Amino acid sequence: MRTLISLALVIIVPAVAGAEDGHAAWLRYAPLDGAARTRAAALVPDTVVTLGDAAPVLKARDELIRGIRGITGRDVRPADAMGNERTIVLGTAASFPAASVGYTIGQPLGRDGYAIESFRRGSAPPAVAIAGERDRAVLYGVFAYLRRLSLGQLTADLRERSEPAAPVRWLNHWENVDGTIERGYGGRSIFWEGGKVRDDLRLVDDYGRLLASLGINGLSINNVNANPVFLTREFLPQIARVAGVLRPWGVQVVLSVDFASPQKVGGLQTYDPLDPGVVDWWKKTIDTVYTSVPDLAGIVLKADSEGRVGPSAYKRTHADAANVIARALKPHGGVFCYRGFVYDHRMDWRNLENDRARAAYDNFKSLDGQFDDNVIIQIKHGPIDFQVREPASPLFGALQKTNEAIELQITQEYFGQGRHTVFLVPMWKETLDFDMQVKGPGTTVKQIVSGRTWGNPTGGFIGVSNVGRDPNWFGNHMSQANLYGFGRLAWNPDLTSKEIIDEWTRLTFGSDPRVVETVDALQLSSWRVFENYTGPLGLQTLTDIVGNHFGVSVEASERNGWGQWHRADEKGVGMDRTVATGTGYIKQYSPAVAKVYESVDATPDDLVLFLHHLPYTHKLRSGKTVVQFIYDSHYDGADAVAGWVRDWKTLEGRVDAERYAAILKQLEYQAGAAVVWRDAVARWFHRTSGIPDAAGRVGTYPGRMEAEAATLEGYVPAQVTPWEAGSGEGAVECKAQKCTATFRHSGQAGRYDVIVQYFDVNTGAARYSLRAGTAGRSASAAPDQSAASARQAQWTADDRFPTRRLDGASSTRFILPDVALKPGDSIVIEGTPDGAETAALDYVEIRKAGG
Ligand code: GCV
């Protein structure tokens, strides 16, 4: 990870001025270049007139002034009325006629729609109206106007009308009141700390602005694994404070609740949803919440899943549970989201008929028609749990009389947790565009959740965001594209991945064609690349399922009740979900879809092991055998990430220095991690199947010297768990004060990058020093002096990977670049442990410098 990026940075002065920490995300309003700026400046107004004084409209006015100033350098003046200057008029559709400015909306706008339209009053200069169906839609219109301006797409005659695909465009945040975030990778909560709301909510305000720019209109502020304290009277003022900050941005608060709240905080004996006392408690409690937060958008509930209690405790149905809360919300216009993520995590793995993928459908299908009209079933995009590749959840096609929302995970739980770049929009698009064929061909998931297929009006899009206090929100600049993409798709799911990333890249990094081309290509390929090195063919993410969900661990999913099984053994791999011989999951799809999935030959390779158990020697549609595909894809994936590092380096000086360096560091890490994944998965299948890699790569690592075979002073052998995450026979660790491992270069003389693969657990900060080359030759050269003379380096293993063990999550690398080595030269590593962190080493590998 620490590849001495600083070497290059001190030498080359970046051409782009101004450091950037990423906080502004896609709302940087960076100045356009030369001619584009002159063109844009000629089109923007001199004054802005605001109709009414609603907070979102005033925010819209301020944003317009700020954006135009940033992008074009022109100052727009607020004015009370239209005069003899070019003007933009902002207001709700209803406010225009009364203001007599010479513009009316004409055809009414639906939902949160907006119009941006040029008009002229008599001989006055041209004007533009930005009108919204409601206050917050004025903001949406202004952000759309500024997006056009930033992208150089503003024209003199504007005729844009836009309405979102669905009313629910919400985010869920899995935040705890102590400030931690479940599955959050961008730092601690922007809302909570130490059991209460934070004093300083400026980050919430900044976040509200980002969300408004995407048209997001609801936000749950606490974990779905909910703490019942949120429904106590004492806590309400804290929720009201957050709601007060988000309200001007048109973002309404949503609460997650604990289904046992009537008992836990209401003091009742029961939380049985059919008990009159419980019914009354929900009603009174929700009435009270609305006295503090009159525009609460709704409530979300996770019940009967992963240890959360639910209606099953009283043998009641999910509909009973949903309706009792929905009815309490109804008089206030609130919506109730019941999560479809209901499954038994204590399933018997020995029973080949058991299948977690069936759970959502099995739980909800028979209840269709029993949910009130303000209930939404919130369905994860696939039937398992945000794995690297899953088919569309069959539940989308199963409910006709029930509102549905799709749940997409923006936070990268199974996608490298902010340390890997993975643009998720192409994956989401695949689900949204998938034709469930439940009403003949043409019933895509996006149509169903938008309510168009069955005329259910209250559905939509819900993203699990989990941003934190990190300046760039996610801990990875590139991850911002996922929040951006979610918002854009929630507004318009017909946008393509290419359109979305192109907008994002230009808004985030500017329109330098080389930058746009490089970033777009990297992001657009990243899901496939990640899949290639973490779990191709529908195997799901081969990660530590029962632990950190981050490092590689091929068998972690097996022989436990969590049901993410791939059932690999020495003969074959994959879950048989067919109707003929398997779990029958495939029957949950429409006959047309089931027909494709039931046939091994018709099933797309991408999903084949999700749906079928196949011998390793089975020939796929691609013509490769299953096992060779697994080997090849892992090498392709790791090679692709190494290529991204090279590509990114070509942008030096074209991207501001701060983000350039941060992204280079992130990609360098990812390139190393992809090699760990590649070797682990390929070796696991190689050992298990006994089938050699046709290309001869698996098990043969040119230039690699295992630590356990080095000359060791103090270092002792250590086990890596799982075994496949350690190269060779395992690792070495230091249990003394200091230990040394000496490796000898036996290859040709030349210039090499020296890669040290070591383990960085989160219990300490072990130190390492490295000396490479013939003793006596400029041994004192510091690593940051120059690449050519760099032959010695020190580093500290203080990255906070989510593990205490020597495993796939802690395995990482240090690279000392461009070292001159000749046969017999030594590479000496000295490790100094820190408490339980034992300065462990896996191997040293040398590769041609710059390779
Ligand atoms: C909030 C997965 C995650 C859990 C999460 C759960 C859910 O299992 O690992 O952290 O819990 O999904 O969506 O409820």
Side-chain angles (χ1 to χ4, degrees):
M1 180 141 188
R2 298 167 201 80
T3 45
L4 305 187
I5 295 154
S6 51
L7 290 184
L9 293 180
V10 286
I11 298 163
I12 296 169
V13 181
V16 180
E20 301 214 32
D21 61 7
H23 191 67
W26 52 87
L27 296 181
R28 287 166 65 238
Y29 300 141
L32 291 171
D33 295 334
R37 188 171 176 188
T38 314
R39 253 195 326 274
L43 293 169
V44 296
D46 303 303
T47 60
V48 52
V49 172
T50 317
L51 307 182
D53 58 1
V57 180
L58 299 182
K59 285 276 189 206
R61 177 199 59 197
D62 297 348
E63 194 69 26
L64 189 78
I65 294 169
R66 174 178 177 177
I68 290 177
R69 183 181 300 137
I71 300 164
T72 69
R74 296 240 351 236
D75 278 320
V76 179
R77 279 176 294 108
D80 292 336
M82 285 177 72
N84 254 343
E85 290 168 302
R86 289 176 309 174
T87 301
I88 286 199
V89 188
L90 308 180
T92 58
S95 64
F96 274 89
S100 307
V101 292
Y103 171 83
T104 50
I105 195 87
Q107 193 67 20
L109 296 162
R111 291 173 172 164
D112 279 332
Y114 64 81
I116 307 173
E117 294 184 312
S118 303
F119 70 100
R120 232 181 164 131
R121 189 174 59 171
S123 57
V128 173
I130 301 186
E133 187 267 339
R134 54 201 288 187
D135 294 336
R136 67 179 173 216
V138 180
L139 259 174
Y140 302 159
V142 162
F143 278 114
Y145 178 93
L146 292 172
R147 185 162 60 234
R148 276 176 176 269
L149 188 64
S150 279
L151 296 173
Q153 292 168 354
L154 203 68
T155 52
D157 187 30
L158 293 165
R159 304 258 149 247
E160 180 177 337
R161 280 175 167 247
S162 187
E163 279 173 28
V168 170
R169 304 178 305 282
W170 291 4
L171 294 180
N172 283 179
H173 271 239
W174 293 347
E175 322 240 341
N176 303 314
V177 275
D178 63 0
T180 58
I181 306 178
E182 183 160 347
R183 315 302 177 189
Y185 311 106
R188 294 175 70 81
S189 171
I190 60 172
F191 303 107
W192 315 108
E193 192 57 67
K196 59 182 188 59
V197 70
R198 295 182 72 213
D199 292 334
D200 182 350
L201 290 181
R202 272 177 299 179
L203 285 178
V204 176
D205 188 47
D206 292 351
Y207 190 46
R209 175 172 168 259
L210 285 183
L211 303 189
S213 77
L214 300 171
I216 287 168
N217 57 0
L219 170 65
S220 76
I221 53 176
N222 61 318
N223 197 343
V224 287
N225 292 326
N227 183 333
V229 74
F230 277 83
L231 286 183
T232 58
R233 200 177 274 273
E234 301 68 51
F235 208 79
L236 291 179
Q238 315 212 25
I239 300 171
R241 266 198 70 210
V242 176
V245 176
L246 291 173
R247 189 170 295 122
W249 296 111
V251 181
Q252 293 171 252
V253 160
V254 177
L255 286 181
S256 301
V257 298
D258 180 335
F259 194 61
S261 296
Q263 194 180 66
K264 288 190 183 155
V265 293
L268 304 186
Q269 294 291 317
T270 174
Y271 56 91
D272 177 353
L274 298 190
D275 180 279
V278 170
V279 174
D280 191 52
W281 186 86
W282 279 112
K283 186 175 165 4
K284 289 204 174 106
T285 303
I286 287 176
D287 285 348
T288 310
V289 173
Y290 273 92
T291 59
S292 294
V293 187
D295 57 348
L296 185 86
I299 283 181
V300 53
L301 174 72
K302 171 176 176 180
D304 278 333
S305 183
E306 298 189 333
R308 305 300 299 176
V309 298
S312 67
Y314 300 97
K315 299 206 175 1
R316 306 300 188 201
T317 69
H318 299 302
D320 295 331
N323 293 342
V324 67
I325 303 178
R327 283 171 198 165
L329 285 164
K330 179 88 176 175
H332 306 282
V335 164
F336 182 67
C337 289
Y338 199 96
R339 292 182 85 228
F341 185 61
V342 176
Y343 74 101
D344 171 13
H345 68 274
R346 296 196 186 87
M347 262 184 307
D348 182 3
W349 53 271
R350 295 169 199 83
N351 182 346
L352 297 186
E353 282 177 11
N354 281 345
D355 185 359
R356 170 171 165 186
R358 295 182 53 124
Y361 181 105
D362 286 346
N363 271 289
F364 290 91
K365 167 72 183 163
S366 61
L367 298 174
D368 191 23
Q370 296 181 32
F371 293 97
D372 282 11
D373 64 1
N374 63 333
V375 175
I376 296 178
I377 305 301
Q378 177 173 329
I379 306 168
K380 288 196 183 190
H381 80 268
I384 299 281
D385 190 7
F386 304 133
Q387 297 300 288
V388 70
R389 173 82 64 170
E390 295 186 42
S393 170
L395 187 55
F396 290 120
L399 305 177
Q400 298 184 6
K401 298 177 209 134
T402 309
N403 297 309
E404 295 182 21
I406 186 167
E407 181 179 305
L408 300 169
Q409 198 185 38
I410 297 161
T411 187
Q412 292 175 228
E413 174 180 358
Y414 284 100
F415 289 87
Q417 307 191 349
R419 294 176 188 268
H420 294 230
T421 286
V422 190
F423 180 51
L424 298 167
V425 167
M427 178 175 81
W428 298 337
K429 280 292 289 177
E430 214 149 281
T431 303
L432 289 168
D433 293 345
F434 185 76
D435 191 351
M436 302 298 292
Q437 304 198 48
V438 282
K439 205 177 168 192
T443 41
T444 54
V445 171
K446 65 187 171 197
Q447 282 172 339
I448 294 172
V449 299
S450 305
R452 275 181 276 158
T453 306
W454 305 111
N456 296 319
T458 315
F461 302 78
I462 298 175
V464 181
S465 161
N466 293 2
V467 301
R469 276 178 237 168
D470 189 287
N472 71 29
W473 305 97
F474 287 100
N476 178 354
H477 295 281
M478 300 292 239
S479 298
Q480 294 178 352
N482 291 322
L483 178 56
Y484 184 83
F486 169 80
R488 298 293 285 137
L489 283 178
W491 189 276
N492 177 7
D494 293 331
L495 288 172
T496 65
S497 302
K498 171 80 179 124
E499 284 167 333
I500 291 173
I501 200 60
D502 213 57
E503 279 180 14
W504 177 79
T505 304
R506 286 168 199 275
L507 297 172
T508 308
F509 291 109
S511 288
D512 174 339
R514 173 101 71 89
V515 174
V516 174
E517 204 180 300
T518 306
V519 174
D520 283 7
L522 192 161
Q523 291 272 31
L524 285 173
S525 64
S526 59
W527 170 43
R528 171 67 76 184
V529 166
F530 186 80
E531 175 183 38
N532 276 344
Y533 66 80
T534 60
L537 299 175
L539 275 167
Q540 308 175 66
T541 321
L542 297 170
T543 188
D544 183 1
I545 292 288
V546 287
N548 53 44
H549 298 186
F550 177 68
V552 59
S553 187
V554 179
E555 279 175 283
S557 53
E558 305 308 295
R559 290 175 290 283
N560 61 51
W562 291 91
Q564 294 191 212
W565 312 313
H566 51 63
R567 300 209 186 277
D569 60 19
E570 65 282 6
K571 293 204 171 57
V573 56
M575 272 291 285
D576 184 353
R577 294 190 156 107
T578 61
V579 181
T581 56
T583 67
Y585 160 84
I586 289 172
K587 202 165 187 221
Q588 298 183 339
Y589 290 95
S590 64
V593 173
K595 190 164 169 226
V596 175
Y597 285 171
E598 185 74 8
S599 147
V600 180
D601 293 336
T603 301
D605 283 355
D606 287 336
L607 283 173
V608 75
L609 298 179
F610 191 92
L611 299 169
H612 300 274
H613 185 83
L614 298 175
Y616 291 117
T617 49
H618 172 87
K619 270 224 166 106
L620 297 163
R621 285 158 69 106
S622 66
K624 290 185 183 181
T625 62
V626 167
V627 76
Q628 193 59 43
F629 190 101
I630 293 173
Y631 298 150
D632 289 353
S633 65
H634 281 80
Y635 278 85
D636 290 350
D639 288 353
V641 189
W644 294 348
V645 174
R646 289 192 295 274
D647 294 346
W648 183 255
K649 285 182 176 166
T650 68
L651 302 186
E652 186 165 19
R654 292 173 180 268
V655 170
D656 55 280
E658 193 172 353
R659 289 185 300 167
Y660 172 80
I663 293 172
L664 180 57
K665 183 174 167 186
Q666 179 270 309
L667 292 175
E668 287 273 20
Y669 166 75
Q670 187 171 358
V675 170
V676 174
W677 275 89
R678 177 197 76 188
D679 292 350
V681 177
R683 286 170 68 230
W684 192 94
F685 281 97
H686 186 245
R687 183 191 278 192
T688 307
S689 70
I691 300 174
D693 167 24
R697 298 154 300 186
V698 183
T700 308
Y701 304 98
R704 187 174 294 187
M705 296 169 272
E706 298 295 341
E708 58 275 20
T711 305
L712 303 176
E713 283 165 55
Y715 268 118
V716 291
Q719 240 189 349
V720 178
T721 316
W723 67 266
E724 69 270 19
S727 186
E729 297 304 315
V732 300
E733 61 182 345
C734 180
K735 297 217 162 138
Q737 279 197 335
K738 220 174 228 171
C739 303
T740 309
T742 305
F743 302 79
R744 213 152 285 285
H745 175 59
S746 57
Q748 292 177 345
R751 303 202 78 90
Y752 295 94
D753 294 339
V754 176
I755 300 168
V756 179
Q757 195 71 29
Y758 66 101
F759 293 89
D760 184 350
V761 299
N762 63 13
T763 49
R767 281 174 294 120
Y768 295 82
S769 75
L770 162 66
R771 201 162 17 87
T774 310
R777 270 199 299 160
S778 64
S780 63
D784 59 350
Q785 279 186 353
S786 90
S789 65
R791 300 174 54 248
Q792 172 170 303
Q794 294 82 33
W795 70 96
T796 304
D798 55 2
D799 221 328
R800 290 279 166 226
F801 295 112
T803 183
R804 306 165 72 89
R805 294 184 295 140
L806 308 187
D807 61 13
S810 55
S811 179
T812 188
R813 69 184 190 180
F814 176 90
I815 302 177
L816 184 60
D818 201 16
V819 180
L821 287 175
K822 59 181 177 41
D825 275 357
S826 60
I827 297 168
V828 184
I829 299 170
E830 195 176 79
T832 309
D834 179 32
E837 184 169 87
T838 55
L841 288 171
D842 194 359
Y843 60 82
V844 166
E845 189 170 298
I846 55 163
R847 67 171 186 208
K848 279 244 156 338

